[in-house]
Amino acid sequence: MNYFRHFDTGDTMCEKPCYRELEQQCEVLEQKFAERQQAEEAFLELEKRYRDLFDSINDLIMIHDLKGRLFNVNPAVCKLSGYTFEELIGRPISDFIVPDFRSLFQDEYLKEIKKQGHSEGVVIFQAKDGNEHYVEYRNILVKPEGRKPYVSGLGRDITDRVHAERALRESEKRYRTVFETTGSATVIIEDDETISLANSTFESLSGYSKKEIEGKKTWTEFVTEEDLAQMREFHRARRDKSGSAPKNYEFSFIDRQGSIKNIFVAIETIPDTRMSVASLLDITDRKRAEEALQKSYDELDLRVKERTADLAKANEQLKVQIEERKKAEEEKERLIIELKKALGEVKALGGLLPICASCKKIRDDKGYWNQLEDYIQKHSEAEFSHSVCPDCAKILYPELEFYD
């Protein structure tokens, strides 16, 4: 008797299979073969997609054993390292890590991956040309059934980011130094008027510590009521980019003790933000000096005006005196001239005069005889009044009695 096992149930049958049963079994086999073929094709397609992804992805894919030896990498690793696939496979990853990190890899990384089943961090790879690349990685331990465990790693080159962050830190350090050593009180103001950053000079100016200021106080708390409305309008206009807000102006500042200080502020919006940086300079002493100087100037100006008025009055008086003296000088000159003229005439009469012994006439320079009184009147200022002396009266008028 022939025995066979039923294809579907697995039961042992003792009867010979009929043709129909064989045909059904063939159909089942063909269906299973077709399904397996489809599964293999799907697997191959999936493997192809995985391989395409593996080869085209920009991230770094490295697979190594538990001793750190590479047995598969994607092209991105070759491109970054400068080594060919053949040069990488079979070598420990530590060969491509900068010397300072190699011992750390051997001592810490492999222990961590074996113990925890995963590891992540940043490592510095050294390329074939000597350039260093910062790689951020996340690796996991894979334990496939029936095969040796291995480590699958995914990494990303963050060298540019590291350099940018380093440059940013250096820049921030430089700007922080500048921020702290400008010599003026400096603050960073947010869109909501909060002071997010203040330097030590602003601490001294305000009387508050940075801890009390940063993120807790607004700039409006340090402005007097008289200036607040206008400065808030400046704050709004500066962020609306209308160009109407001035970059420099003066305002009155209130410190912790309530003291009012005169402040000159230079303020500008930080590009591509709604924040602004303000530099405040205390000009209270300068203002006081200017006010004192102005007061002195006003007093001096008043004194100058008073002195000018006094000088003008004295000048007028001097002019009058000069005029009077001028007139006196003119009168003096006239008198001198008249006196000289009189003296001249007196000198003319002082010479030897030819006079008639009988009629008493005087002969002039031209030879004419002139009455005595006419000659004297002509050559002097003397004038005559005629009268008769007693002796002549007795002669001329004997009949009359005359008394001496």
Side-chain angles (χ1 to χ4, degrees):
M1 182 179 292
N2 295 322
Y3 294 91
F4 65 92
R5 188 175 298 276
H6 194 276
F7 185 83
D8 292 326
T9 64
D11 296 333
T12 303
M13 309 293 292
C14 60
E15 296 181 357
K16 292 183 179 180
C18 64
Y19 175 79
R20 180 57 183 167
E21 290 176 344
L22 292 174
E23 188 178 42
Q24 289 178 351
Q25 292 176 9
C26 288
E27 289 177 356
V28 171
L29 290 173
E30 287 177 358
Q31 183 178 357
K32 289 186 176 293
F33 178 78
E35 290 176 354
R36 182 172 181 177
Q37 188 174 15
Q38 289 178 356
E40 289 179 352
E41 290 176 355
F43 176 78
L44 292 174
E45 180 64 25
L46 183 62
E47 184 181 24
K48 182 177 182 302
R49 291 180 183 177
Y50 170 77
R51 175 55 63 181
D52 291 341
L53 179 63
F54 186 84
D55 291 341
S56 62
I57 193 171
N58 290 326
D59 287 336
L60 312 174
I61 300 177
M62 292 176 285
I63 301 175
H64 64 79
D65 60 22
L66 296 185
K67 292 184 178 180
R69 290 191 299 264
L70 293 167
F71 62 83
N72 199 2
V73 295
N74 70 339
V77 176
C78 299
K79 182 178 179 181
L80 179 72
S81 66
Y83 292 97
T84 64
F85 181 83
E86 291 75 15
E87 290 175 319
L88 292 169
I89 299 305
R91 294 178 60 181
I93 291 183
S94 58
D95 287 357
F96 309 103
I97 297 176
V98 293
D100 292 343
F101 277 82
R102 288 176 186 173
S103 59
L104 183 63
F105 175 82
Q106 294 293 341
D107 298 338
E108 302 295 335
Y109 166 73
L110 290 178
K111 291 180 181 179
E112 181 181 359
I113 203 78
K114 292 175 184 177
K115 182 178 180 180
Q116 299 183 5
H118 63 85
S119 179
E120 58 186 43
V122 176
V123 68
I124 304 177
F125 278 97
Q126 191 169 39
K128 193 173 185 177
D129 58 7
N131 288 328
E132 295 180 355
H133 298 273
Y134 289 81
V135 175
E136 184 178 47
Y137 68 89
R138 179 175 175 80
N139 297 355
I140 59 173
L141 178 63
V142 181
K143 297 179 179 180
E145 186 177 351
R147 294 173 54 191
K148 292 182 179 181
Y150 62 89
V151 177
S152 177
L154 182 66
R156 177 167 296 176
D157 183 7
I158 60 169
T159 305
D160 292 341
R161 190 182 81 188
V162 169
H163 289 165
E165 290 175 351
R166 183 179 296 167
L168 182 62
R169 286 194 298 271
E170 289 297 323
S171 177
E172 184 179 358
K173 183 178 179 181
R174 288 195 295 269
Y175 282 113
R176 168 63 71 174
T177 302
V178 173
F179 188 79
E180 285 292 342
T181 58
T182 56
S184 61
T186 307
V187 292
I188 302 295
I189 300 172
E190 299 294 330
D191 187 28
D192 63 357
E193 300 180 350
T194 304
I195 297 175
S196 58
L197 195 64
N199 68 357
S200 54
T201 309
F202 189 83
E203 285 184 300
S204 302
L205 178 68
S206 66
Y208 292 92
S209 66
K210 293 180 184 179
K211 189 176 181 180
E212 293 174 302
I213 298 170
E214 295 176 347
K216 297 177 182 177
K217 287 193 172 292
T218 64
W219 61 264
T220 57
E221 298 177 49
F222 300 98
V223 180
T224 59
E225 191 67 29
E226 293 78 8
D227 296 328
L228 185 57
Q230 185 179 46
M231 289 183 64
R232 271 189 164 147
E233 178 61 23
F234 290 163
H235 180 84
R236 181 198 61 77
R238 190 171 294 109
R239 282 150 182 79
D240 291 344
K241 299 182 179 179
S242 61
S244 60
K247 296 181 179 180
N248 303 285
Y249 54 89
E250 295 180 12
F251 74 98
S252 297
F253 182 95
I254 310 172
D255 65 12
R256 187 169 197 160
Q257 289 72 37
S259 301
I260 306 298
K261 300 177 181 180
N262 298 107
I263 298 296
F264 175 82
V265 62
I267 185 168
E268 183 61 275
T269 304
I270 300 174
D272 302 323
T273 73
R274 293 184 65 82
M275 299 186 295
S276 57
V277 56
S279 180
L280 295 80
L281 184 63
D282 186 357
I283 59 172
T284 305
D285 292 340
R286 192 186 79 183
K287 276 285 186 181
R288 290 173 181 168
E290 288 176 353
E291 290 172 359
L293 183 62
Q294 184 63 43
K295 184 178 179 181
S296 298
Y297 175 80
D298 292 340
E299 292 176 353
L300 180 61
D301 185 57
L302 179 61
R303 291 178 183 176
V304 169
K305 288 180 180 178
E306 291 174 349
R307 185 59 178 164
T308 301
D310 292 342
L311 290 174
K313 184 177 179 180
N315 188 48
E316 289 298 324
Q317 294 175 348
L318 184 60
K319 284 182 179 180
V320 172
Q321 293 176 2
I322 291 174
E323 188 65 27
E324 291 177 351
R325 184 165 184 174
K326 184 178 180 182
K327 289 179 180 180
E329 290 291 335
E330 290 176 351
E331 180 66 17
K332 180 181 176 181
E333 288 295 327
R334 187 183 66 77
L335 292 174
I336 290 173
I337 292 172
E338 290 179 355
L339 182 59
K340 286 182 178 179
K341 182 178 179 182
L343 288 174
E345 291 177 350
V346 169
K347 288 180 181 179
L349 291 176
L352 182 63
L353 298 176
I355 185 169
C356 177
S358 175
C359 66
K360 304 303 179 182
K361 289 184 179 180
I362 297 175
R363 188 180 65 197
D364 60 19
D365 295 338
K366 295 180 179 180
Y368 296 101
W369 292 90
N370 299 281
Q371 291 292 333
L372 175 63
E373 58 270 25
D374 291 338
Y375 187 86
I376 292 175
Q377 284 182 345
K378 184 178 179 181
H379 291 83
S380 72
E381 292 182 355
E383 294 182 358
F384 291 90
S385 62
H386 292 83
S387 182
V388 179
C389 69
D391 292 337
C392 291
K394 291 177 179 180
I395 296 171
L396 293 174
Y397 307 103
E399 68 277 11
L400 296 176
E401 292 183 1
F402 293 92
Y403 299 94
D404 295 333

Short mmCIF file of all heavy atoms in Angstrom, two decimals, residues 211-257:
data_model
loop_
_atom_site.label_atom_id
_atom_site.label_comp_id
_atom_site.label_asym_id
_atom_site.label_seq_id
_atom_site.Cartn_x
_atom_site.Cartn_y
_atom_site.Cartn_z
N LYS A 211 20.56 91.97 37.60
CA LYS A 211 19.55 90.97 37.95
C LYS A 211 18.19 91.60 38.15
O LYS A 211 17.15 91.00 37.84
CB LYS A 211 20.01 90.24 39.22
CG LYS A 211 19.15 89.03 39.57
CD LYS A 211 19.73 88.32 40.78
CE LYS A 211 18.88 87.08 41.13
NZ LYS A 211 19.44 86.37 42.32
N GLU A 212 18.18 92.83 38.65
CA GLU A 212 16.92 93.53 38.88
C GLU A 212 16.38 94.16 37.60
O GLU A 212 15.18 94.43 37.50
CB GLU A 212 17.11 94.63 39.94
CG GLU A 212 17.43 94.10 41.32
CD GLU A 212 17.75 95.22 42.29
OE1 GLU A 212 18.70 95.99 42.01
OE2 GLU A 212 17.05 95.34 43.31
N ILE A 213 17.26 94.38 36.63
CA ILE A 213 16.87 95.09 35.41
C ILE A 213 16.49 94.16 34.27
O ILE A 213 15.38 94.26 33.72
CB ILE A 213 18.03 96.01 34.94
CG1 ILE A 213 18.33 97.07 36.00
CG2 ILE A 213 17.68 96.67 33.61
CD1 ILE A 213 19.59 97.85 35.73
N GLU A 214 17.40 93.25 33.92
CA GLU A 214 17.26 92.45 32.70
C GLU A 214 16.02 91.55 32.73
O GLU A 214 15.87 90.70 33.61
CB GLU A 214 18.52 91.62 32.47
CG GLU A 214 19.74 92.48 32.19
CD GLU A 214 21.03 91.72 32.06
OE1 GLU A 214 21.07 90.51 32.41
OE2 GLU A 214 22.01 92.30 31.58
N GLY A 215 15.13 91.78 31.77
CA GLY A 215 13.92 90.99 31.64
C GLY A 215 12.84 91.35 32.65
O GLY A 215 11.75 90.77 32.62
N LYS A 216 13.11 92.34 33.51
CA LYS A 216 12.14 92.69 34.55
C LYS A 216 11.68 94.13 34.49
O LYS A 216 10.56 94.45 34.89
CB LYS A 216 12.75 92.41 35.93
CG LYS A 216 13.07 90.93 36.15
CD LYS A 216 13.74 90.71 37.50
CE LYS A 216 14.10 89.24 37.69
NZ LYS A 216 14.80 89.01 38.98
N LYS A 217 12.53 95.01 34.02
CA LYS A 217 12.17 96.42 33.99
C LYS A 217 12.06 96.91 32.54
O LYS A 217 12.75 96.41 31.65
CB LYS A 217 13.20 97.27 34.75
CG LYS A 217 13.10 97.11 36.25
CD LYS A 217 13.90 98.17 36.97
CE LYS A 217 13.64 98.11 38.46
NZ LYS A 217 12.25 98.51 38.78
N THR A 218 11.20 97.91 32.36
CA THR A 218 11.07 98.57 31.05
C THR A 218 11.79 99.90 31.11
O THR A 218 11.98 100.48 32.20
CB THR A 218 9.60 98.80 30.68
OG1 THR A 218 9.02 99.72 31.63
CG2 THR A 218 8.82 97.49 30.68
N TRP A 219 12.17 100.39 29.94
CA TRP A 219 12.89 101.68 29.92
C TRP A 219 11.99 102.83 30.38
O TRP A 219 12.49 103.86 30.84
CB TRP A 219 13.44 101.96 28.52
CG TRP A 219 12.40 102.07 27.44
CD1 TRP A 219 12.00 101.09 26.59
CD2 TRP A 219 11.62 103.22 27.09
NE1 TRP A 219 11.02 101.54 25.73
CE2 TRP A 219 10.78 102.86 26.02
CE3 TRP A 219 11.56 104.51 27.57
CZ2 TRP A 219 9.88 103.74 25.43
CZ3 TRP A 219 10.67 105.41 26.99
CH2 TRP A 219 9.84 105.02 25.93
N THR A 220 10.66 102.64 30.27
CA THR A 220 9.74 103.71 30.66
C THR A 220 9.81 104.02 32.15
O THR A 220 9.44 105.12 32.57
CB THR A 220 8.30 103.32 30.29
OG1 THR A 220 7.97 102.07 30.93
CG2 THR A 220 8.15 103.15 28.79
N GLU A 221 10.28 103.06 32.95
CA GLU A 221 10.38 103.28 34.39
C GLU A 221 11.47 104.27 34.75
O GLU A 221 11.53 104.73 35.90
CB GLU A 221 10.62 101.95 35.10
CG GLU A 221 9.49 100.93 34.92
CD GLU A 221 9.80 99.60 35.58
OE1 GLU A 221 10.20 99.61 36.77
OE2 GLU A 221 9.66 98.55 34.92
N PHE A 222 12.34 104.59 33.80
CA PHE A 222 13.46 105.50 34.07
C PHE A 222 13.28 106.87 33.41
O PHE A 222 14.22 107.65 33.37
CB PHE A 222 14.77 104.87 33.58
CG PHE A 222 15.09 103.55 34.22
CD1 PHE A 222 14.79 102.35 33.58
CD2 PHE A 222 15.66 103.50 35.48
CE1 PHE A 222 15.07 101.13 34.17
CE2 PHE A 222 15.95 102.28 36.09
CZ PHE A 222 15.64 101.10 35.43
N VAL A 223 12.07 107.15 32.90
CA VAL A 223 11.82 108.39 32.18
C VAL A 223 10.82 109.24 32.96
O VAL A 223 9.81 108.73 33.47
CB VAL A 223 11.28 108.11 30.76
CG1 VAL A 223 11.03 109.42 30.02
CG2 VAL A 223 12.25 107.25 29.98
N THR A 224 11.06 110.56 33.04
CA THR A 224 10.13 111.45 33.73
C THR A 224 8.83 111.57 32.94
O THR A 224 8.79 111.32 31.74
CB THR A 224 10.74 112.85 33.89
OG1 THR A 224 11.05 113.38 32.60
CG2 THR A 224 12.00 112.80 34.74
N GLU A 225 7.78 111.96 33.64
CA GLU A 225 6.45 112.06 33.03
C GLU A 225 6.45 113.04 31.86
O GLU A 225 5.73 112.83 30.87
CB GLU A 225 5.44 112.51 34.10
CG GLU A 225 3.99 112.38 33.67
CD GLU A 225 3.57 110.93 33.49
OE1 GLU A 225 4.12 110.05 34.18
OE2 GLU A 225 2.68 110.69 32.65
N GLU A 226 7.24 114.11 31.96
CA GLU A 226 7.25 115.13 30.91
C GLU A 226 7.77 114.60 29.58
O GLU A 226 7.34 115.04 28.51
CB GLU A 226 8.11 116.33 31.35
CG GLU A 226 7.55 117.12 32.52
CD GLU A 226 7.79 116.44 33.85
OE1 GLU A 226 8.53 115.42 33.87
OE2 GLU A 226 7.24 116.90 34.87
N ASP A 227 8.70 113.63 29.63
CA ASP A 227 9.31 113.11 28.40
C ASP A 227 8.72 111.79 27.94
O ASP A 227 9.01 111.34 26.82
CB ASP A 227 10.83 112.92 28.62
CG ASP A 227 11.53 114.24 28.88
OD1 ASP A 227 11.08 115.26 28.33
OD2 ASP A 227 12.52 114.24 29.62
N LEU A 228 7.89 111.14 28.77
CA LEU A 228 7.47 109.77 28.49
C LEU A 228 6.64 109.62 27.22
O LEU A 228 6.90 108.73 26.40
CB LEU A 228 6.68 109.23 29.69
CG LEU A 228 6.28 107.75 29.62
CD1 LEU A 228 7.51 106.88 29.44
CD2 LEU A 228 5.52 107.35 30.89
N ALA A 229 5.65 110.47 27.02
CA ALA A 229 4.76 110.34 25.86
C ALA A 229 5.53 110.46 24.56
O ALA A 229 5.35 109.66 23.62
CB ALA A 229 3.65 111.39 25.93
N GLN A 230 6.41 111.43 24.49
CA GLN A 230 7.17 111.64 23.25
C GLN A 230 8.13 110.49 22.99
O GLN A 230 8.26 110.02 21.86
CB GLN A 230 7.95 112.94 23.34
CG GLN A 230 8.68 113.29 22.04
CD GLN A 230 9.43 114.60 22.14
OE1 GLN A 230 10.13 114.83 23.12
NE2 GLN A 230 9.28 115.46 21.15
N MET A 231 8.77 109.96 24.04
CA MET A 231 9.71 108.87 23.86
C MET A 231 9.00 107.58 23.47
O MET A 231 9.54 106.76 22.72
CB MET A 231 10.54 108.68 25.13
CG MET A 231 11.54 109.81 25.34
SD MET A 231 12.60 109.59 26.79
CE MET A 231 13.52 108.13 26.35
N ARG A 232 7.78 107.38 23.96
CA ARG A 232 7.01 106.21 23.53
C ARG A 232 6.66 106.32 22.05
O ARG A 232 6.64 105.32 21.33
CB ARG A 232 5.75 106.09 24.38
CG ARG A 232 5.98 105.27 25.64
CD ARG A 232 4.69 104.98 26.35
NE ARG A 232 4.87 103.90 27.31
CZ ARG A 232 4.23 103.82 28.45
NH1 ARG A 232 3.36 104.76 28.79
NH2 ARG A 232 4.43 102.79 29.27
N GLU A 233 6.37 107.51 21.60
CA GLU A 233 6.09 107.72 20.18
C GLU A 233 7.34 107.44 19.35
O GLU A 233 7.27 106.83 18.28
CB GLU A 233 5.62 109.16 19.96
CG GLU A 233 5.33 109.52 18.51
CD GLU A 233 4.24 108.67 17.89
OE1 GLU A 233 3.40 108.12 18.64
OE2 GLU A 233 4.24 108.53 16.65
N PHE A 234 8.50 107.85 19.85
CA PHE A 234 9.76 107.53 19.17
C PHE A 234 9.95 106.01 19.09
O PHE A 234 10.38 105.49 18.06
CB PHE A 234 10.94 108.14 19.93
CG PHE A 234 11.02 109.64 19.85
CD1 PHE A 234 11.80 110.35 20.76
CD2 PHE A 234 10.32 110.34 18.90
CE1 PHE A 234 11.88 111.73 20.70
CE2 PHE A 234 10.39 111.73 18.83
CZ PHE A 234 11.17 112.42 19.74
N HIS A 235 9.65 105.31 20.19
CA HIS A 235 9.80 103.85 20.26
C HIS A 235 8.94 103.18 19.18
O HIS A 235 9.40 102.27 18.49
CB HIS A 235 9.39 103.37 21.65
CG HIS A 235 9.49 101.88 21.85
ND1 HIS A 235 10.68 101.27 22.19
CD2 HIS A 235 8.57 100.89 21.73
CE1 HIS A 235 10.47 99.96 22.29
NE2 HIS A 235 9.21 99.70 22.01
N ARG A 236 7.71 103.65 19.03
CA ARG A 236 6.80 103.07 18.03
C ARG A 236 7.27 103.40 16.61
O ARG A 236 7.36 102.53 15.74
CB ARG A 236 5.39 103.61 18.25
CG ARG A 236 4.36 103.04 17.26
CD ARG A 236 3.12 103.89 17.22
NE ARG A 236 3.42 105.24 16.78
CZ ARG A 236 3.64 105.56 15.51
NH1 ARG A 236 3.63 104.64 14.57
NH2 ARG A 236 3.91 106.81 15.19
N ALA A 237 7.60 104.66 16.38
CA ALA A 237 8.00 105.09 15.04
C ALA A 237 9.28 104.42 14.59
O ALA A 237 9.46 104.09 13.42
CB ALA A 237 8.18 106.62 15.02
N ARG A 238 10.19 104.16 15.54
CA ARG A 238 11.46 103.52 15.18
C ARG A 238 11.23 102.10 14.65
O ARG A 238 11.93 101.64 13.74
CB ARG A 238 12.36 103.49 16.42
CG ARG A 238 13.79 103.07 16.15
CD ARG A 238 14.66 103.29 17.37
NE ARG A 238 14.80 104.69 17.70
CZ ARG A 238 14.25 105.28 18.74
NH1 ARG A 238 13.49 104.57 19.58
NH2 ARG A 238 14.43 106.56 18.98
N ARG A 239 10.24 101.40 15.16
CA ARG A 239 9.95 100.03 14.71
C ARG A 239 9.03 99.99 13.50
O ARG A 239 9.00 99.00 12.79
CB ARG A 239 9.34 99.24 15.88
CG ARG A 239 10.42 98.79 16.85
CD ARG A 239 9.94 98.67 18.27
NE ARG A 239 11.07 98.28 19.13
CZ ARG A 239 11.99 99.14 19.57
NH1 ARG A 239 11.94 100.41 19.24
NH2 ARG A 239 13.00 98.69 20.33
N ASP A 240 8.31 101.09 13.26
CA ASP A 240 7.51 101.17 12.05
C ASP A 240 8.33 101.59 10.85
O ASP A 240 7.84 101.64 9.72
CB ASP A 240 6.36 102.19 12.25
CG ASP A 240 5.34 101.67 13.24
OD1 ASP A 240 5.36 100.45 13.52
OD2 ASP A 240 4.52 102.47 13.73
N LYS A 241 9.59 101.94 11.11
CA LYS A 241 10.54 102.34 10.05
C LYS A 241 10.03 103.53 9.25
O LYS A 241 10.23 103.62 8.04
CB LYS A 241 10.84 101.16 9.12
CG LYS A 241 11.48 99.98 9.83
CD LYS A 241 11.81 98.85 8.87
CE LYS A 241 12.48 97.70 9.62
NZ LYS A 241 12.80 96.58 8.74
N SER A 242 9.33 104.44 9.96
CA SER A 242 8.84 105.63 9.28
C SER A 242 9.92 106.69 9.12
O SER A 242 9.78 107.63 8.33
CB SER A 242 7.67 106.23 10.08
OG SER A 242 8.09 106.60 11.39
N GLY A 243 11.00 106.52 9.87
CA GLY A 243 12.11 107.47 9.76
C GLY A 243 11.89 108.74 10.56
O GLY A 243 12.69 109.67 10.48
N SER A 244 10.78 108.81 11.30
CA SER A 244 10.47 110.03 12.04
C SER A 244 11.11 110.07 13.42
O SER A 244 11.11 111.11 14.07
CB SER A 244 8.96 110.18 12.19
OG SER A 244 8.40 109.07 12.88
N ALA A 245 11.62 108.95 13.90
CA ALA A 245 12.22 108.91 15.24
C ALA A 245 13.68 109.37 15.17
O ALA A 245 14.47 108.84 14.39
CB ALA A 245 12.15 107.50 15.81
N PRO A 246 14.06 110.34 16.00
CA PRO A 246 15.46 110.79 16.00
C PRO A 246 16.38 109.74 16.60
O PRO A 246 15.97 108.94 17.43
CB PRO A 246 15.41 112.05 16.85
CG PRO A 246 14.25 111.84 17.77
CD PRO A 246 13.23 111.08 16.97
N LYS A 247 17.62 109.77 16.18
CA LYS A 247 18.61 108.83 16.71
C LYS A 247 19.32 109.38 17.94
O LYS A 247 19.91 108.63 18.71
CB LYS A 247 19.64 108.48 15.63
CG LYS A 247 19.04 107.75 14.43
CD LYS A 247 20.11 107.43 13.41
CE LYS A 247 19.52 106.68 12.21
NZ LYS A 247 20.55 106.36 11.20
N ASN A 248 19.27 110.70 18.10
CA ASN A 248 19.93 111.34 19.24
C ASN A 248 19.01 112.41 19.82
O ASN A 248 18.43 113.20 19.07
CB ASN A 248 21.25 112.00 18.79
CG ASN A 248 22.20 111.03 18.13
OD1 ASN A 248 22.81 110.22 18.80
ND2 ASN A 248 22.32 111.11 16.83
N TYR A 249 18.89 112.42 21.12
CA TYR A 249 18.10 113.46 21.79
C TYR A 249 18.42 113.43 23.28
O TYR A 249 19.14 112.55 23.75
CB TYR A 249 16.60 113.27 21.54
CG TYR A 249 16.05 111.91 21.90
CD1 TYR A 249 15.58 111.64 23.18
CD2 TYR A 249 15.98 110.89 20.95
CE1 TYR A 249 15.07 110.40 23.51
CE2 TYR A 249 15.47 109.64 21.27
CZ TYR A 249 15.01 109.41 22.55
OH TYR A 249 14.52 108.17 22.88
N GLU A 250 17.86 114.39 24.01
CA GLU A 250 18.07 114.48 25.45
C GLU A 250 16.74 114.23 26.18
O GLU A 250 15.67 114.53 25.66
CB GLU A 250 18.62 115.86 25.83
CG GLU A 250 20.00 116.13 25.26
CD GLU A 250 20.52 117.51 25.64
OE1 GLU A 250 19.88 118.15 26.54
OE2 GLU A 250 21.52 117.96 25.07
N PHE A 251 16.84 113.67 27.37
CA PHE A 251 15.65 113.48 28.20
C PHE A 251 16.07 113.44 29.67
O PHE A 251 17.26 113.38 29.99
CB PHE A 251 14.90 112.19 27.81
CG PHE A 251 15.58 110.92 28.25
CD1 PHE A 251 15.17 110.27 29.42
CD2 PHE A 251 16.62 110.36 27.51
CE1 PHE A 251 15.79 109.10 29.83
CE2 PHE A 251 17.24 109.19 27.92
CZ PHE A 251 16.82 108.55 29.08
N SER A 252 15.05 113.47 30.55
CA SER A 252 15.30 113.46 31.99
C SER A 252 15.14 112.04 32.52
O SER A 252 14.11 111.40 32.29
CB SER A 252 14.34 114.40 32.71
OG SER A 252 14.56 115.74 32.28
N PHE A 253 16.16 111.57 33.24
CA PHE A 253 16.25 110.18 33.72
C PHE A 253 16.02 110.14 35.23
O PHE A 253 16.54 110.98 35.97
CB PHE A 253 17.64 109.65 33.36
CG PHE A 253 17.90 108.22 33.73
CD1 PHE A 253 17.72 107.20 32.80
CD2 PHE A 253 18.37 107.87 35.00
CE1 PHE A 253 17.99 105.88 33.13
CE2 PHE A 253 18.63 106.56 35.34
CZ PHE A 253 18.43 105.56 34.39
N ILE A 254 15.25 109.14 35.68
CA ILE A 254 15.00 108.97 37.12
C ILE A 254 15.76 107.73 37.61
O ILE A 254 15.56 106.63 37.09
CB ILE A 254 13.50 108.76 37.42
CG1 ILE A 254 12.65 109.83 36.73
CG2 ILE A 254 13.24 108.77 38.91
CD1 ILE A 254 11.17 109.58 36.83
N ASP A 255 16.63 107.89 38.61
CA ASP A 255 17.35 106.73 39.13
C ASP A 255 16.60 106.14 40.33
O ASP A 255 15.48 106.56 40.67
CB ASP A 255 18.79 107.10 39.50
CG ASP A 255 18.86 108.10 40.65
OD1 ASP A 255 17.82 108.34 41.31
OD2 ASP A 255 19.94 108.65 40.89
N ARG A 256 17.20 105.16 40.94
CA ARG A 256 16.55 104.43 42.04
C ARG A 256 16.19 105.34 43.20
O ARG A 256 15.17 105.14 43.88
CB ARG A 256 17.47 103.31 42.51
CG ARG A 256 16.83 102.38 43.53
CD ARG A 256 17.68 101.15 43.75
NE ARG A 256 16.94 100.08 44.39
CZ ARG A 256 17.29 98.80 44.36
NH1 ARG A 256 18.38 98.45 43.68
NH2 ARG A 256 16.57 97.89 44.96
N GLN A 257 17.00 106.34 43.46
CA GLN A 257 16.76 107.25 44.58
C GLN A 257 15.80 108.37 44.22
O GLN A 257 15.50 109.23 45.06
CB GLN A 257 18.10 107.86 45.06
CG GLN A 257 19.01 106.89 45.78
CD GLN A 257 19.64 105.87 44.84
OE1 GLN A 257 19.98 106.20 43.71
NE2 GLN A 257 19.79 104.63 45.30
#
